[in-house]
Amino acid sequence: MTVFCGIDWADDHHDIALVDDSGRVLHQQRIGDDVDGWNQLLEALAAHGDSADAPIPVAIETTRGLLVSCLRATGRAVYAINPLAVARYRDRHSVARRKSDAGDALVLANILRTDLHAHRPLPDDSDQVRAIAVLARAQQDAVWDRVIAHNRLRSLLHEYFPAMLAAFAGKRGGLMRPEARKLLAAAPTPTAAARLTITQLVAVLRRAGRVRQLAAGAARLQAVLRADYLHQPAVVEQAMGVHALALLALLDAACDNADQLAEAAAQAFRAHPDAAIITSFPGQGELTGARILGEIGDDRARFVDARALKAYAGSAPITRASGRVRSVTTRRIKNQRLAAAGYVWAFSSLTASAGARAHYDRRRARGDAHVAAQRNLFNRLLGCLHHCLITGTPYDESTAFPAPTQRLEPAAA
């Protein structure tokens, strides 16, 4: 008798259901989200034939959390079922649209009973790569938070302090530059900024870590800050300055978090065996490599072939055909984090690889927009990465982008 388990998880409790291969309900129970609940789950599984040699597979609607981590530690297959798919399966058992936690656990168990072949268990990634994924995703979130904080601050400064925006217009990083943040902290209003002397501006630049051309930089800033601009009323300007300092604190925290997490992710990535192969590719730095590795993992059996990896990353198009209608469109359902890292990777490779640049130019010449050409280049690089990881070989430019062969015209008679 084959047994399948479904778990409907919640914050403080979980509902479990066990069914056999004929659909008969063997066990249903609600357990707590604690050690006692975990022990009750193990006892229920053991009572229905669970063993180290033949663990009972489990279906659950999440890939994260302590419960999932403990289930994976037992060596059993854990299937993360999309909640939208569970909702569709629920309609197979009832058309009344009723729903309960216990019923959802039963639906999850029956999903494995009827369609186990159509679902994939969570990959058997190493703890090392899972730690890299945690750090890389946290750093990516910090970068996105930094962009949000920057845009909010920039929008406010546009309303009352255009001189600050003009002072760092065209500078890489803009308001995220250390000297911009230190300057705004020292003078959050245009009136206060216009009073700053060269000595004070030099001190601001020095606090920001700048060591060269301090006097010239201070003179440039003073000229910009003392130029003629429109002003808000004094009271309103002062209030906006207080608001700007609050937003600046958020931006400072986001910048510090992004930098610290970037270093931690790079350090963890360097210790992984796949790091040497990944960084052998053009345009691959340690941070981008950590993001790529964190999303694809190091379980070589996770993707059947390169096409499966490309579909997971969203770089391969999707075909929809019905009757006489056939369309090839961009894949929307994908790993968004991997797709974002892939765009950065492909963009960086344009200046690091002549083959990548030529491939991009060919796609553009065929009519692809910039984003489409970048995605196609990422698709090509991802296929090469899959091959290199499977075979354990580093990147080779001549293999990835072989020189095009020229057609020989037949000799004249």
Side-chain angles (χ1 to χ4, degrees):
M1 180 180 65
T2 306
V3 180
F4 307 93
C5 176
I7 301 179
D8 184 77
W9 70 280
D11 290 336
D12 56 353
H13 67 271
H14 313 296
D15 284 85
I16 63 174
L18 298 174
V19 300
D20 62 13
D21 46 10
S22 65
R24 182 167 59 96
V25 179
L26 302 176
H27 182 80
Q28 283 187 293
Q29 182 182 359
R30 172 167 289 188
I31 62 174
D33 185 34
D34 51 22
V35 177
D36 291 338
W38 171 251
N39 290 331
Q40 292 173 18
L41 173 60
L42 293 182
E43 291 172 1
L45 293 174
H48 293 86
D50 185 69
S51 65
D53 297 331
I56 294 176
V58 174
I60 193 170
E61 291 180 288
T62 182
T63 62
R64 308 168 68 178
L66 283 172
L67 179 61
V68 174
S69 181
C70 291
L71 286 170
R72 297 178 71 175
T74 62
R76 72 185 68 252
V78 179
Y79 294 81
I81 311 298
N82 190 296
L84 292 177
V86 176
R88 301 299 184 272
Y89 274 100
R90 192 185 301 123
D91 293 339
R92 296 176 58 183
H93 298 273
S94 174
V95 296
R97 294 188 177 274
R98 64 184 182 186
K99 183 184 184 303
S100 67
D101 294 342
D104 283 351
L106 193 58
V107 169
L108 286 164
N110 279 302
I111 289 176
L112 294 187
R113 180 180 66 86
T114 59
D115 293 321
L116 180 67
H117 63 283
H119 299 277
R120 294 183 301 170
L122 292 178
D124 188 21
D125 290 329
S126 65
D127 292 342
Q128 188 178 7
V129 82
R130 291 170 62 189
I132 293 173
V134 170
L135 294 171
R137 291 171 183 173
Q139 198 277 336
Q140 199 170 32
D141 288 338
V143 170
W144 291 337
D145 291 341
R146 184 176 65 186
V147 172
I148 294 173
H150 170 269
N151 291 343
R152 290 181 63 188
L153 180 59
R154 185 181 184 279
S155 178
L156 176 63
L157 293 176
H158 185 73
E159 295 183 19
Y160 85 103
F161 201 170
M164 178 63 70
L165 299 178
F168 297 96
K171 299 289 184 179
R172 183 180 179 87
L175 295 176
M176 292 184 289
R177 296 175 65 88
E179 54 265 37
R181 291 183 279 133
K182 292 297 183 182
L183 177 58
L184 185 59
T189 64
T191 302
R195 296 196 191 105
L196 293 176
T197 64
I198 294 294
T199 303
Q200 291 172 324
L201 287 170
V202 167
V204 168
L205 294 177
R206 186 174 287 113
R207 286 198 299 271
R210 186 164 173 175
V211 295
R212 301 176 62 184
Q213 298 182 343
L214 294 176
R220 185 190 71 83
L221 287 176
Q222 188 182 62
V224 175
L225 295 174
R226 292 186 176 182
D228 291 332
Y229 297 95
L230 298 178
H231 283 262
Q232 293 277 2
V235 177
V236 177
E237 181 181 283
Q238 195 66 28
M240 287 185 167
V242 175
H243 187 191
L245 290 178
L247 294 181
L248 178 62
L250 296 178
L251 180 59
D252 284 337
C255 290
D256 292 341
N257 290 340
D259 293 340
Q260 293 173 11
L261 287 168
E263 178 57 32
Q267 183 178 356
F269 173 72
R270 287 193 294 267
H272 195 277
D274 291 342
I277 294 178
I278 294 176
T279 53
S280 69
F281 278 74
Q284 276 284 30
E286 291 180 339
L287 183 55
T288 308
R291 292 179 180 177
I292 297 289
L293 179 59
E295 297 306 322
I296 68 176
D298 55 5
D299 181 6
R300 297 292 183 257
R302 180 177 185 178
F303 302 103
V304 178
D305 51 24
R307 293 179 60 186
L309 175 58
K310 294 175 180 179
Y312 178 70
S315 60
I318 187 169
T319 302
R320 291 181 175 88
S322 178
R324 297 181 179 179
V325 179
R326 184 177 182 273
S327 62
V328 181
T329 59
T330 304
R331 191 178 296 266
R332 302 296 181 185
I333 307 301
K334 57 188 175 183
N335 185 316
Q336 299 291 348
R337 293 182 181 274
L338 181 56
Y343 183 87
V344 175
W345 177 18
F347 187 79
S348 301
S349 69
L350 295 178
T351 56
S353 166
R357 182 74 208 194
H359 182 89
Y360 171 83
D361 291 340
R362 284 195 299 270
R363 298 301 305 186
R364 293 283 284 164
R366 294 180 185 179
D368 283 358
H370 168 71
V371 175
Q374 288 279 88
R375 185 169 55 248
N376 189 278
L377 176 58
F378 173 45
N379 192 63
R380 178 69 171 267
L381 292 171
L382 204 57
C384 297
L385 177 62
H386 180 269
H387 170 78
C388 290
L389 290 175
I390 292 296
T391 59
T393 57
Y395 171 82
D396 181 71
E397 178 83 3
S398 60
T399 303
F401 298 99
T405 56
Q406 297 180 352
R407 267 184 84 179
L408 298 178
E409 298 295 336

